[in-house]
Amino acid sequence: MASSFLERELLCPVCHDVFKDPVLLSCSHSFCKTCLQSWWAEKQILQCMVCKRRSSRSDPPSNLVLKNLCEAFLLERDSRSSEALCSLHAERLKLFCLNHLQPVCVVCRDSEKHTDHRFRPIDEAAKDHRKQLQELLKPFQEKLKVLRRVKRNCDVTADHIKVQAQCAEVQIKKEFRKLYQFLQEEEVARISALREEEKQKSQVMKEKMEALSREIAALSDTVRATEDELRAEDISFLHNYKAAVERVQQRPPTDDPEPASETLIDAAIHLGNLSFNIWSRMKELVSYVPVILDPNTAGPELILSRDLRSVRWGRRQQLPENPERIQHLSSVLGSEGFNSGTHSWDVEVGDSDYWELGVLAGSVQRKDNLLSGLWRLRFYNGKYRACCESHPDTDIPVKEAFQRIRVNLDWDKGLLSFSDSDSETHIHTFMHTFTDLLFPYINSVNTLKLNVLPGEVGVIVW
């Protein structure tokens, strides 16, 4: 009651809130300074808003006693509101019931409701239960970290998909431009050849027709003159007979001209198997690489060429953490795995001072260090070594450094061999009973490129 009465007495008549910076008028009424100034400014008259008495001052003095009283009241009220009290007994909550798991006051402790219950001081109970809740929260916190990491990886993956699509589109357009140019040049060349043959054969026919025209004209003159003699009178005919015979005998009839062969356009050459012949000529333009590198498996430090035929070590990139990617090694796999048959590919290692070539089993977890399911030939510190988990590493003495390495896999016979592509010298062979899908494996820690060399391309007609 006393508290409520006091609070009412400390309320400003204008804003009905506890006084803020109260001022005192000569009539003994007080107001918040801002409330008074606002009201005076609106009414354009200096008077008390309660008793309407005019004020002799436009800047009334502060009511320091009331201001201090209001500030003390607000502090006490805030203190009371922050102190938790029992809703039943209005007592401070000093204890925690371990049976009901709720704060209680000392009166609650002695009540029938909490008979034979166990209690702890609030601070002790808060400490113990805060620790328990923190333990319960840990799995959720860890799960949240995982989800956030996955979300970040999804964001990176989404951006990477766009980059991949853009790069692939650029490369596709580039390759098709090469093909378009080849086809256009091939079209021009073949039409030029056709027109050249047309020109040559048309010239031959023109010359032949001109010769025939000259011969026809000469024979026509002879026939016409002789026919004129035959129609003359007997005396005139006989008088000119000798000259007419001599004229005819000077131009005896020749054999009929034979029809000229190969005078027509050789359409078979120009049109026969046209598409096939153009396609077969494309082998001079295109190349076939037996192993295409898969960028989705490449370690973050590796940089692949746009045509996916070469790889080198470079600056680490931010790439998606997809399951196919080899995370802990600067390695990349071929896009196609083998589980039968024989396969061969050549890699130009050049002057690179660190590389590994071989095969990796498809079942290996690529987020871990690749310790099993990997057979490889390694070059490091000027030494060649054959490495696999099932056998001790084997040092391979050589006289000269290799420039090109051929990898031969006979999956059915369980043979993986390495040889020098230039001299066809055998280097090493692994023997193992393969049961898994095997992917070509390349590791590089050098800025020099490792190049997968193209194979021979041929067209076989059966």
Side-chain angles (χ1 to χ4, degrees), residues 15-216:
C15 63
H16 303 289
D17 198 357
V18 177
F19 285 107
K20 299 181 182 66
D21 195 11
V23 293
L24 180 64
L25 298 183
S26 56
C27 61
S28 299
H29 291 121
S30 295
F31 304 93
C32 294
K33 184 176 182 179
T34 55
C35 294
L36 181 64
Q37 289 176 345
S38 298
W39 195 83
W40 281 0
E42 180 181 354
K43 297 297 183 179
Q44 297 293 317
I45 183 171
L46 305 180
Q47 67 177 14
C48 176
M49 289 177 282
V50 176
C51 64
K52 308 301 180 182
R53 181 177 176 180
R54 293 180 65 87
S55 174
S56 59
R57 299 181 58 176
S58 59
D59 54 341
S62 297
N63 191 339
L64 296 179
V65 175
L66 181 58
K67 179 180 180 182
N68 293 336
L69 184 61
C70 290
E71 291 177 351
F73 172 77
L74 291 175
L75 287 175
E76 183 180 357
R77 188 179 67 178
D78 293 343
S79 176
R80 288 199 307 271
S81 63
S82 62
E83 186 178 68
L85 300 178
C86 176
S87 59
L88 298 177
H89 308 108
E91 296 288 338
R92 290 183 60 190
L93 299 173
K94 296 182 178 181
L95 301 173
F96 184 76
C97 177
L98 299 179
N99 298 83
H100 286 165
L101 297 179
Q102 63 181 17
V104 296
C105 66
V106 292
V107 179
C108 293
R109 176 193 60 187
D110 298 331
S111 67
E112 183 179 356
K113 181 179 179 180
H114 295 279
T115 302
D116 297 329
H117 284 188
R118 297 168 57 233
F119 300 90
R120 287 287 184 275
I122 285 291
D123 56 347
E124 292 183 11
K127 181 179 179 180
D128 293 341
H129 288 77
R130 184 173 283 110
K131 185 181 298 184
Q132 293 177 12
L133 187 57
Q134 286 174 344
E135 292 298 323
L136 293 174
L137 185 62
K138 280 184 179 180
F140 295 90
Q141 292 173 329
E142 294 299 323
K143 182 66 174 181
L144 183 60
K145 289 180 181 178
V146 171
L147 293 177
R148 286 174 175 168
R149 186 174 66 250
V150 172
K151 174 62 168 56
R152 287 194 300 270
N153 188 56
C154 288
D155 294 338
V156 173
T157 302
D159 293 338
H160 193 67
I161 289 172
K162 294 181 180 178
V163 172
Q164 279 187 310
Q166 292 171 355
C167 292
E169 181 177 345
V170 169
Q171 189 65 17
I172 289 171
K173 289 182 177 179
K174 179 181 177 182
E175 292 297 321
F176 269 92
R177 279 195 298 269
K178 288 169 58 178
L179 296 177
Y180 293 152
Q181 182 178 355
F182 168 81
L183 291 174
Q184 289 171 351
E185 292 174 354
E186 189 72 13
E187 178 185 6
V188 170
R190 289 179 178 272
I191 290 178
S192 297
L194 173 62
R195 289 176 178 170
E196 180 63 25
E197 183 179 357
E198 177 192 14
K199 179 180 177 181
Q200 292 175 358
K201 292 189 174 180
S202 295
Q203 182 64 28
V204 170
M205 292 308 297
K206 179 181 178 182
E207 293 173 356
K208 184 168 184 175
M209 287 188 295
E210 289 175 350
L212 288 172
S213 295
R214 289 192 296 271
E215 186 174 356
I216 289 171

